[in-house]
Amino acid sequence: MHSNSILPNNFTFPFLLKSLADFKGLSEGQCIHTHVVKLGQFDDIYVQNSLLNVYASCGDMGLCMRVFDEMPHRDVVSWTVLITGYRSAERYDDALIAFEQMQYAGVVPNHVTMVNALSACADFGALEMGVWIHEFIRRSGWEFDVILGTSLIDMYGKCGRIEEGLVVFRSMKEKNVFTWNSLIKGLALARSGRRQFGGFIEWSKRGSRQMK
């Protein structure tokens, strides 16, 4: 493009930054960031979110947060990338703080936001926040699809409330191997795991066709 005197624009940069995020090209991302600023494209929210994603994917939450702080407007994608980045970096408390700040900002979360927030709750042991997310999902009328349902089961299992996880499990229309693994791990962690596991095996035999 440069050799033909064609300058990249706000449509070009997101595609380029997405590829850099996929193979974690941090230094290349910083180089593109410089060009974005020089060409006056930083004000575009799609470009901003793409920069956030590069830094979050590369694990550099310092640079990610710097871009985030410079953004005058943030949408659900902006917040979700930030939360996901903190969760991937195992900074679960920061992920949950960002999730709370998102609520205060009046930005409505989507399914991807909730899955990552639930994952942070599970690994941080934040049961109260996990229950709040579950209630939000119910109030919003969202269906417990495989990914969302499995995330809830995983959260309840790791927080020692596998009974609630069983309720979610039984309400799911579709389940995959990750769903079953999350439930079995939760049962194994439960204090009454042996008793519950025996009852679960009996119940699952009657409904084994759901695994097909």
Side-chain angles (χ1 to χ4, degrees):
M1 289 182 70
H2 282 296
S3 61
N4 292 319
S5 299
I6 300 173
L7 296 177
N9 56 27
N10 60 319
F11 296 104
T12 312
F13 283 123
F15 287 104
L16 182 57
L17 290 166
K18 173 65 169 61
S19 65
L20 293 177
D22 289 341
F23 72 80
K24 304 187 187 309
L26 178 60
S27 59
E28 294 89 346
Q30 289 177 288
C31 181
I32 296 300
H33 189 169
T34 301
H35 285 292
V36 165
V37 174
K38 284 183 177 179
L39 294 173
Q41 299 293 333
F42 184 75
D43 290 337
D44 186 275
I45 193 166
Y46 297 106
V47 175
Q48 293 167 345
N49 286 340
S50 298
L51 283 168
L52 286 177
N53 189 43
V54 168
Y55 292 137
S57 297
C58 294
D60 196 325
M61 294 310 296
L63 288 174
C64 182
M65 196 65 207
R66 189 181 304 173
V67 173
F68 187 85
D69 286 339
E70 292 175 357
M71 295 173 64
H73 304 289
R74 300 140 183 166
D75 61 9
V76 63
V77 175
S78 315
W79 286 99
T80 300
V81 170
L82 185 67
I83 292 165
T84 304
Y86 278 133
R87 180 196 60 77
S88 298
E90 299 183 357
R91 293 172 58 176
Y92 307 120
D93 52 342
D94 288 324
L96 295 177
I97 289 170
F99 180 72
E100 286 187 334
Q101 291 174 335
M102 180 183 183
Q103 312 311 307
Y104 296 140
V107 179
V108 179
N110 59 23
H111 281 61
V112 179
T113 317
M114 291 308 204
V115 166
N116 282 279
L118 283 168
S119 179
C121 289
D123 290 316
F124 197 62
L127 176 62
E128 186 175 345
M129 177 67 79
V131 171
W132 184 91
I133 292 173
H134 192 176
E135 288 301 315
F136 177 94
I137 292 169
R138 283 189 214 177
R139 290 195 308 269
S140 301
W142 293 4
E143 183 179 345
F144 292 129
D145 60 22
V146 173
I147 298 175
L148 196 56
T150 300
S151 298
L152 276 166
I153 294 167
D154 182 60
M155 184 276 295
Y156 279 126
K158 288 180 178 176
C159 291
R161 294 280 290 275
I162 194 57
E163 294 87 356
E164 284 83 352
L166 274 166
V167 172
V168 174
F169 180 86
R170 289 167 177 160
S171 70
M172 293 172 63
K173 295 179 181 179
E174 183 183 353
K175 308 170 181 72
N176 62 16
V177 66
F178 298 106
T179 313
W180 287 86
N181 285 344
S182 293
L183 182 64
I184 292 169
K185 286 178 183 177
L187 288 166
L189 288 170
R191 291 180 182 176
S192 55
R194 184 173 299 175
R195 174 180 58 81
Q196 292 193 38
F197 189 74
F200 167 72
I201 292 298
E202 290 301 315
W203 174 83
S204 63
K205 285 178 180 177
R206 295 194 298 270
S208 61
R209 285 177 294 178
Q210 297 181 53
M211 293 183 67
K212 297 179 181 179

